[in-house]
Structures are given as C-alpha cells and as structure tokens.
C-alpha cells in the first residue's frame, strides 16, 4: 500500500517492520496484523497479548507466505520477553550469524505459538525456543536437514513442537 503508512487500514499499511507502532496507538492485545510481500529486516514484536486476547501476526495474508530475507541479519523473527503472540504464515531464510543466526527466535516468553511457517539456511537454528513457558511450534517446515532445525532449550512447562 502507498497510503499513510500508519497501519490503520490496508491502504494505509505500514511499509516496514520498523514502522509498526507497538502498544498505545498501535498494536495492542487482541489485534491481528496482516503481512504480505518480502522484507529484509527483523520482525520484533514489542507488545504482549493476553491469554484471552492474543496478538496475531499473520504472514499468510493474500494467500502466500510473507518472506523475510535475513541474509544480513542475525534473526528473521525475534520475540523476546513477550506473551501470547501467534506468528503464522512466514518464510524466513538465511539468518546470517555464526553464533546467533536464527530464523525464528522465541526467548523468555510465555504462550507464544509459531505455526505454518517455513525456514531455511540459517547458520545456527531455523526455529528456536529458549527459556520460555507454554510455547508451541507446530506445522512448521525447516528446509535444512544438515544442521539444527528445531531447538528447545531451558524451556519450562508445556513447551513443545508438533
């Protein structure tokens, strides 16, 4: 969209991840944010949902997976210290850092769900959950059979892949 870049409608959609307003006058608990296209920046949500009002980041808007080319980034999607966020319909690839390169990173979170996402080519992990409770990775595909694809470490109760 080429409108106001304020996220208030499809015609005024945010043009970059960095333009997204989290909390207050922007994305709040219960909101769904639709994405489409290809991005070359890290998506880092900076607001939590609640158990009854999740934040949904929907990359399958328009019927295609939203792509994140992370070739110059350490992370494709990076969720840290947030709660009750659902991420779906993204394809993140080529996270480029030999120590921290992760396409989908969930760290110190509660109740985060990553579903229907694809990842490939990270230098470390495609999908990673670390020090988090009740988080789920489901129906996701890693196209990287030669390295770690799904990693859960230091996770608390209820965290799983399916």
């Amino acid at each position: 969209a080429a409108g106001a870049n304020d996220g208030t409608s499809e015609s005024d959609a945010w043009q970059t991840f960095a333009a997204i307003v989290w909390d207050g006058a922007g994305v709040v608990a219960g909101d769904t944010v639709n994405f489409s296209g290809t991005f070359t920046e890290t998506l880092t949500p900076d607001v939590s949902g609640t158990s009854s009002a999740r934040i949904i980041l929907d990359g399958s808007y328009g019927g295609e997976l939203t792509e994140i080319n992370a070739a110059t980034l350490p992370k494709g999607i990076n969720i840290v210290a947030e709660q009750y966020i659902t991420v779906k319909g993204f394809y993140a690839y080529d996270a480029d850092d030999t120590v921290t390169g992760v396409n989908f990173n969930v760290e110190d979170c509660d109740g985060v769900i990553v579903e229907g996402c694809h990842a490939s080519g990270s230098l470390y992990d495609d999908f990673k959950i670390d020090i988090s409770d009740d988080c789920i990775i489901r129906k996701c595909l890693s196209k990287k059979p030669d390295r770690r694809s799904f990693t859960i470490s230091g996770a608390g109760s209820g965290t799983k892949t399916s």
Side-chain angles (χ1 to χ4, degrees), residues 92-122:
Y93 52 92
D94 295 338
D96 187 25
D97 186 295
T98 57
V99 177
T100 62
V102 178
N103 286 315
F104 291 86
N105 185 62
V106 177
E107 183 177 333
D108 194 24
C109 293
D110 295 318
V112 171
I113 298 172
V114 178
E115 66 182 339
C117 292
H118 295 188
S120 67
S122 74

Side-chain angles (χ1 to χ4, degrees), residues 106 109-112 128-137 151-162:
V106 177
C109 293
D110 295 318
V112 171
K128 181 178 181 184
I129 297 177
D130 192 19
I131 314 170
S132 297
D133 293 324
D134 298 316
C135 295
I136 298 171
I137 299 172
T151 301
I152 299 175
S153 61
S157 64
T159 295
K160 62 184 176 180
T161 61
S162 65

Side-chain angles (χ1 to χ4, degrees), residues 1-21:
N5 192 31
D6 63 11
T8 58
S9 68
E10 185 174 348
S11 62
D12 292 326
W14 288 300
Q15 301 299 303
T16 65
F17 294 155
I20 298 172
V21 177

Side-chain angles (χ1 to χ4, degrees), residues 39-40 68-75 93-97 103 121 123:
F39 296 85
T40 56
I68 300 175
N69 179 344
T72 61
L73 307 168
K75 309 269 191 301
Y93 52 92
D94 295 338
D96 187 25
D97 186 295
N103 286 315
L123 292 176

